[in-house]
Amino acid sequence: MSTAVTVSSMSTYAILGCGSVGHAVADELTDEGKDVLILDRDESRVEALRDQDLNAQVQDIAEQGVVEAVADRDVILILSSDVDANKEAVRAIREHGSDQYVVVRASDPVSEDELADLGADVVINPSTVIADSALRSLESGELEYKARQLADILRATTGKLAILAHDNPDPDSIAAAVALKAIAAEYDVEADILYDGEIGHQENRAFVNTLGIELHARDDARPLAEYGALALVDYAETGGNDIDADVDVYIDHDEPETVIDAAFTDIRKNVSATSTILTKYLQEFDLSPGETVATALLYGIRAETVDFKRDTTPADLTAAAYLHPFANHDTLEDVESPSMSPETLDVLAEAIQNREVHGSHLISNAGFVRDREALAQAAQQLLNLEGITTSAVFGIAEDTITLAARSKDIRINIGNVLRDGFSDVGEAAGHSKQGTAEIPLGLFTGIETTESNRDTLLQLSEEAVRKKLFDAMGVESSAGSGSSEPSNGS
């Protein structure tokens, strides 16, 4: 038979000061069969505690005698409302050289710091605990209320639901759409997941293909107005200006650039992934996610937080922990390790060679490209360089200058930077961490595109894009093009 014993089963407890808080803790511990000693200076209170068969003694916790009284106790909970007395008790216990585990009650942030400095292991401020509990209850109640609203919309939906992800959708947007489709199915509502643009990133293609996710290009589907209802998920990056139908559901972790008028809206900027929000809805609807849904949502959270290394919140972590046992981790490994296409490799090599760095900002020209998504991948890779907090890579695809930017600098919103720099000559979209811009080449340079002037257009666009982007970032660009730091072999 094992002789291992848990710390909690070995511990003996002392509660110093038995007002309402101390009494509640004493009741809980004794109900669990713990050995609890209560010390309080109020004789009548001690008598009342003894009448309840509690082990209570009269003792002023601010006096030195408290050390001897609790000498045989492993855990000491100092819960008096008299913070000065609590300080004296902590000081006496620690000056005696005791290594007992001490939990103490504070009254405000100042006394929290003072008690910690005196050697308390844990300091509790009841006001903070109550506030945290109230906020958790509020959040839980709000989610319950929102879930009822969403359920009402799904029950009222006749015909198919269109779920529109943002343009050139990423894993978070796709996964959120997949989860909403699963929720709709519980209300006997069929759904189509639609998108504009293309799924260009090889990881995103692997994600969709490996999980067998059914997506429809918006151009190949019926008009949005012909669906029974319309939902936008993770759509802030796109903006919503091209929606030609009433929006019934809008769910996102970021504010859209323009207000989207929807019958049901849930925007939570306190999480980093829309997949986190949809995971909470699955839990609220008491729906165990299937393997595909769980794997998609877990990958969506991991991709959006760069494997929990960027802007990760407790809600993202708890959502991921909930999804973990339901997900297929072999599939996740396959999705996260796709081969890099030769085109992407060429774009990345060109972007590395042509980079220009000012402080923590990097801009590079990848030249003429066929795969616009490769620019986004290059921008993400260059963001990993030491000392770089913002990266932007642009190139010419057909008759358009396409720019992709990434940032981990909390002081700037890269989506706004691109809008400030290029909305007067093209289209720009994005949010705090990433953004894109597309500028008609002829409009930008004033020269019609021909095969013979491609190199000239590339040079003109390079100089103009660098200047406008550095200006929008508040950085002075060096004259001409080329890297401001040496490249290997150059």
Side-chain angles (χ1 to χ4, degrees):
M1 186 176 72
S2 172
T3 58
V5 183
T6 64
V7 172
S8 60
S9 66
M10 293 176 60
S11 297
T12 54
Y13 297 79
I15 295 176
L16 279 56
C18 198
S20 58
V21 175
H23 201 163
V25 174
D27 283 343
E28 189 71 26
L29 290 174
T30 53
D31 286 346
E32 293 178 8
K34 307 299 184 184
D35 181 1
V36 181
L37 168 67
I38 301 171
L39 304 182
D40 197 283
R41 67 182 180 183
D42 188 321
E43 294 185 13
S44 60
R45 181 178 295 166
V46 169
E47 286 297 325
L49 292 169
R50 288 173 177 170
D51 289 342
Q52 299 171 44
D53 294 326
L54 294 171
N55 181 13
Q57 298 178 14
V58 176
Q59 173 68 54
D60 187 338
I61 67 172
E63 296 181 353
Q64 280 293 327
V66 73
V67 175
E68 287 74 24
V70 299
D72 63 340
R73 299 285 142 172
D74 300 309
V75 179
I76 302 173
L77 299 102
I78 306 172
L79 303 177
S80 163
S81 59
D82 184 343
V83 176
D84 289 333
N86 293 351
K87 291 177 186 177
E88 291 302 320
V90 174
R91 181 181 289 109
I93 291 167
R94 288 307 185 220
E95 287 179 352
H96 188 261
S98 168
D99 61 355
Q100 293 158 305
Y101 193 78
V102 176
V103 178
V104 62
R105 172 179 176 177
S107 60
D108 51 48
V110 173
S111 60
E112 284 185 53
D113 293 340
E114 292 172 345
L115 288 162
D117 291 341
L118 287 170
D121 295 290
V122 176
V123 182
I124 299 170
N125 184 345
S127 298
T128 302
V129 173
I130 293 170
D132 289 343
S133 177
L135 288 173
R136 285 195 298 271
S137 297
L138 176 62
E139 183 178 350
S140 176
E142 184 180 14
L143 179 59
E144 181 181 349
Y145 173 68
K146 288 284 189 182
R148 288 201 305 268
Q149 285 185 311
L150 180 57
D152 288 343
I153 288 176
L154 293 173
R155 289 192 190 98
T157 298
T158 57
K160 273 192 171 184
L161 169 68
I163 305 174
L164 184 58
H166 69 59
D167 294 358
N168 310 308
D170 62 8
D172 185 34
S173 191
I174 295 169
V178 168
L180 183 57
K181 181 176 180 177
I183 293 171
E186 292 296 315
Y187 292 85
D188 298 321
V189 176
E190 292 185 47
D192 288 340
I193 301 175
L194 311 178
Y195 69 96
D196 282 309
E198 58 187 18
I199 303 172
H201 195 301
Q202 64 261 16
E203 269 193 34
N204 296 352
R205 290 196 298 267
F207 170 58
V208 170
N209 295 335
T210 304
L211 288 175
I213 298 170
E214 187 177 0
L215 303 176
H216 305 276
R218 184 172 162 189
D219 289 342
D220 298 334
R222 72 180 77 170
L224 295 178
E226 293 183 12
Y227 280 89
L230 171 62
L232 308 182
V233 291
D234 197 39
Y235 206 74
E237 185 175 334
T238 301
N241 292 324
D242 59 343
I243 302 302
D244 52 1
D246 292 336
V247 178
D248 298 279
V249 174
Y250 181 77
I251 303 175
D252 209 321
H253 70 100
D254 212 343
E255 292 279 359
E257 180 186 357
T258 57
V259 176
I260 295 175
D261 185 15
F264 170 87
T265 299
D266 191 353
I267 299 172
R268 301 192 204 180
K269 298 182 69 175
N270 62 333
V271 302
S272 291
T274 306
S275 293
T276 298
I277 302 173
L278 267 297
T279 300
K280 298 299 183 185
Y281 276 109
L282 287 172
Q283 293 174 291
E284 185 62 33
F285 283 113
D286 198 22
L287 300 176
S288 295
E291 184 177 281
T292 297
V293 173
T295 305
L297 287 170
L298 182 54
Y299 181 60
I301 296 170
R302 288 171 58 167
E304 197 69 8
T305 61
V306 192
D307 229 0
F308 309 112
K309 294 191 290 287
R310 180 183 69 193
D311 299 337
T312 309
T313 70
D316 300 315
L317 293 172
T318 56
Y322 169 75
L323 296 166
H324 189 273
F326 298 102
N328 186 319
H329 297 277
D330 290 335
T331 299
L332 278 174
E333 185 175 350
D334 292 340
V335 169
E336 291 173 336
S337 306
S339 58
M340 182 175 286
S341 69
E343 165 76 359
T344 300
L345 191 61
D346 289 343
V347 169
L348 179 58
E350 192 75 13
I352 292 172
Q353 180 67 28
N354 296 332
R355 69 192 185 280
E356 180 180 346
V357 178
H358 285 266
S360 63
H361 301 84
L362 180 151
I363 296 177
S364 187
N365 178 10
F368 293 93
V369 301
R370 294 187 301 274
D371 182 4
R372 290 180 173 86
E373 186 62 34
L375 298 170
Q377 292 174 257
Q380 185 62 54
Q381 291 289 340
L382 291 174
L383 190 63
N384 295 327
L385 292 177
E386 184 177 356
I388 298 301
T389 61
T390 303
S391 64
V393 179
F394 64 93
I396 297 176
E398 298 177 349
D399 295 335
T400 303
I401 301 169
T402 299
L403 185 150
R406 297 291 185 268
S407 181
K408 54 188 177 184
D409 188 341
I410 61 173
R411 297 169 300 176
I412 69 170
N413 182 310
I414 193 62
N416 289 342
V417 167
L418 297 189
R419 280 186 282 269
D420 291 343
F422 299 100
S423 59
D424 59 332
V425 291
E427 295 183 358
H431 51 71
S432 60
K433 297 184 287 289
Q434 64 186 52
T436 58
E438 292 191 350
I439 308 105
L441 188 58
L443 178 63
F444 202 54
T445 61
I447 302 174
E448 184 179 352
T449 307
T450 66
E451 189 65 31
S452 61
N453 67 3
R454 281 163 56 92
D455 291 341
T456 301
L457 288 173
L458 180 61
Q459 182 178 357
L460 289 172
S461 63
E462 178 176 16
E463 294 174 357
V465 168
R466 286 180 189 270
K467 184 178 187 309
K468 285 184 74 71
L469 193 51
F470 275 129
D471 286 347
M473 290 179 176
V475 177
E476 184 178 350
S477 174
S478 60
S481 62
S483 172
S484 65
E485 62 178 32
S487 302
N488 291 335
S490 62

